[in-house]
Short mmCIF file of all heavy atoms in Angstrom, two decimals:
data_model
loop_
_atom_site.label_atom_id
_atom_site.label_comp_id
_atom_site.label_asym_id
_atom_site.label_seq_id
_atom_site.Cartn_x
_atom_site.Cartn_y
_atom_site.Cartn_z
N LEU A 199 -99.25 -19.65 -25.10
CA LEU A 199 -100.01 -18.89 -26.10
C LEU A 199 -101.20 -19.68 -26.63
O LEU A 199 -102.31 -19.16 -26.74
CB LEU A 199 -99.10 -18.50 -27.26
CG LEU A 199 -99.77 -17.85 -28.47
CD1 LEU A 199 -100.43 -16.53 -28.08
CD2 LEU A 199 -98.76 -17.64 -29.59
N THR A 200 -100.99 -20.96 -26.96
CA THR A 200 -102.04 -21.71 -27.66
C THR A 200 -103.25 -21.99 -26.78
O THR A 200 -104.38 -22.01 -27.27
CB THR A 200 -101.48 -23.03 -28.20
OG1 THR A 200 -100.91 -23.80 -27.12
CG2 THR A 200 -100.41 -22.78 -29.25
N GLY A 201 -103.02 -22.21 -25.47
CA GLY A 201 -104.17 -22.40 -24.58
C GLY A 201 -105.05 -21.16 -24.56
O GLY A 201 -106.28 -21.25 -24.68
N TRP A 202 -104.42 -19.99 -24.40
CA TRP A 202 -105.15 -18.72 -24.44
C TRP A 202 -105.84 -18.53 -25.79
O TRP A 202 -106.99 -18.08 -25.86
CB TRP A 202 -104.17 -17.58 -24.18
CG TRP A 202 -104.71 -16.21 -24.48
CD1 TRP A 202 -105.45 -15.43 -23.65
CD2 TRP A 202 -104.57 -15.49 -25.71
NE1 TRP A 202 -105.77 -14.24 -24.29
CE2 TRP A 202 -105.24 -14.26 -25.55
CE3 TRP A 202 -103.93 -15.76 -26.92
CZ2 TRP A 202 -105.30 -13.30 -26.56
CZ3 TRP A 202 -103.98 -14.81 -27.94
CH2 TRP A 202 -104.67 -13.61 -27.75
N TRP A 203 -105.15 -18.88 -26.87
CA TRP A 203 -105.69 -18.71 -28.22
C TRP A 203 -106.97 -19.53 -28.39
O TRP A 203 -107.94 -19.07 -28.99
CB TRP A 203 -104.63 -19.15 -29.23
CG TRP A 203 -104.85 -18.67 -30.63
CD1 TRP A 203 -105.75 -17.74 -31.05
CD2 TRP A 203 -104.15 -19.11 -31.79
NE1 TRP A 203 -105.65 -17.55 -32.42
CE2 TRP A 203 -104.68 -18.39 -32.89
CE3 TRP A 203 -103.12 -20.02 -32.01
CZ2 TRP A 203 -104.21 -18.58 -34.19
CZ3 TRP A 203 -102.65 -20.20 -33.31
CH2 TRP A 203 -103.18 -19.49 -34.38
N SER A 204 -106.97 -20.76 -27.85
CA SER A 204 -108.16 -21.61 -27.99
C SER A 204 -109.36 -21.03 -27.27
O SER A 204 -110.51 -21.32 -27.63
CB SER A 204 -107.86 -23.02 -27.49
OG SER A 204 -107.86 -23.09 -26.08
N ASP A 205 -109.14 -20.21 -26.24
CA ASP A 205 -110.24 -19.54 -25.56
C ASP A 205 -110.89 -18.47 -26.43
O ASP A 205 -112.02 -18.04 -26.15
CB ASP A 205 -109.75 -18.88 -24.26
CG ASP A 205 -109.43 -19.88 -23.16
OD1 ASP A 205 -110.00 -20.99 -23.18
OD2 ASP A 205 -108.61 -19.55 -22.29
N HIS A 206 -110.18 -18.05 -27.46
CA HIS A 206 -110.68 -16.97 -28.30
C HIS A 206 -111.17 -17.44 -29.68
O HIS A 206 -112.12 -16.84 -30.22
CB HIS A 206 -109.58 -15.90 -28.49
CG HIS A 206 -109.30 -15.12 -27.25
ND1 HIS A 206 -108.54 -15.62 -26.21
CD2 HIS A 206 -109.69 -13.88 -26.86
CE1 HIS A 206 -108.47 -14.72 -25.24
NE2 HIS A 206 -109.16 -13.66 -25.61
N ILE A 207 -110.57 -18.47 -30.25
CA ILE A 207 -110.99 -18.89 -31.59
C ILE A 207 -111.59 -20.29 -31.60
O ILE A 207 -112.05 -20.76 -32.65
CB ILE A 207 -109.82 -18.82 -32.59
CG1 ILE A 207 -108.76 -19.88 -32.29
CG2 ILE A 207 -109.20 -17.44 -32.62
CD1 ILE A 207 -107.75 -20.05 -33.42
N GLY A 208 -111.60 -20.97 -30.46
CA GLY A 208 -112.16 -22.31 -30.41
C GLY A 208 -111.10 -23.39 -30.38
O GLY A 208 -109.91 -23.13 -30.59
N ARG A 209 -111.55 -24.62 -30.15
CA ARG A 209 -110.64 -25.74 -29.93
C ARG A 209 -110.35 -26.57 -31.18
O ARG A 209 -109.22 -26.95 -31.44
CB ARG A 209 -111.21 -26.68 -28.86
CG ARG A 209 -111.95 -26.05 -27.71
CD ARG A 209 -111.09 -25.26 -26.77
NE ARG A 209 -111.83 -24.94 -25.55
CZ ARG A 209 -111.49 -23.99 -24.70
NH1 ARG A 209 -110.41 -23.25 -24.90
NH2 ARG A 209 -112.21 -23.76 -23.61
N LYS A 210 -111.38 -26.87 -31.93
CA LYS A 210 -111.29 -27.90 -32.97
C LYS A 210 -110.22 -27.61 -34.02
O LYS A 210 -109.41 -28.48 -34.35
CB LYS A 210 -112.66 -28.06 -33.66
CG LYS A 210 -112.63 -29.02 -34.84
CD LYS A 210 -114.01 -29.17 -35.47
CE LYS A 210 -113.94 -30.06 -36.70
NZ LYS A 210 -115.29 -30.31 -37.27
N HIS A 211 -110.20 -26.40 -34.54
CA HIS A 211 -109.29 -26.11 -35.65
C HIS A 211 -107.82 -26.11 -35.19
O HIS A 211 -106.92 -26.49 -35.95
CB HIS A 211 -109.66 -24.78 -36.30
CG HIS A 211 -111.01 -24.79 -36.93
ND1 HIS A 211 -111.41 -25.76 -37.81
CD2 HIS A 211 -112.08 -23.94 -36.79
CE1 HIS A 211 -112.65 -25.53 -38.21
NE2 HIS A 211 -113.08 -24.43 -37.60
N LEU A 212 -107.58 -25.69 -33.95
CA LEU A 212 -106.21 -25.74 -33.43
C LEU A 212 -105.73 -27.18 -33.29
O LEU A 212 -104.58 -27.49 -33.59
CB LEU A 212 -106.13 -25.03 -32.08
CG LEU A 212 -106.25 -23.50 -32.07
CD1 LEU A 212 -106.08 -22.97 -30.65
CD2 LEU A 212 -105.22 -22.86 -32.99
N ILE A 213 -106.62 -28.05 -32.83
CA ILE A 213 -106.23 -29.46 -32.68
C ILE A 213 -105.96 -30.08 -34.04
O ILE A 213 -104.95 -30.78 -34.23
CB ILE A 213 -107.33 -30.24 -31.93
CG1 ILE A 213 -107.47 -29.71 -30.51
CG2 ILE A 213 -107.01 -31.73 -31.91
CD1 ILE A 213 -108.69 -30.23 -29.77
N THR A 214 -106.83 -29.83 -35.00
CA THR A 214 -106.63 -30.39 -36.35
C THR A 214 -105.31 -29.91 -36.95
O THR A 214 -104.51 -30.71 -37.46
CB THR A 214 -107.79 -29.99 -37.27
OG1 THR A 214 -109.03 -30.45 -36.71
CG2 THR A 214 -107.61 -30.58 -38.66
N ALA A 215 -105.08 -28.61 -36.88
CA ALA A 215 -103.84 -28.05 -37.43
C ALA A 215 -102.62 -28.60 -36.71
O ALA A 215 -101.59 -28.91 -37.35
CB ALA A 215 -103.87 -26.53 -37.34
N GLY A 216 -102.71 -28.74 -35.40
CA GLY A 216 -101.58 -29.25 -34.63
C GLY A 216 -101.21 -30.67 -34.99
O GLY A 216 -100.03 -31.01 -35.11
#
Side-chain angles (χ1 to χ4, degrees):
L199 172 62
T200 57
W202 168 85
W203 198 11
S204 77
D205 287 335
H206 290 78
I207 69 168
R209 323 291 192 199
K210 175 179 176 176
H211 296 309
L212 289 183
I213 296 169
T214 302

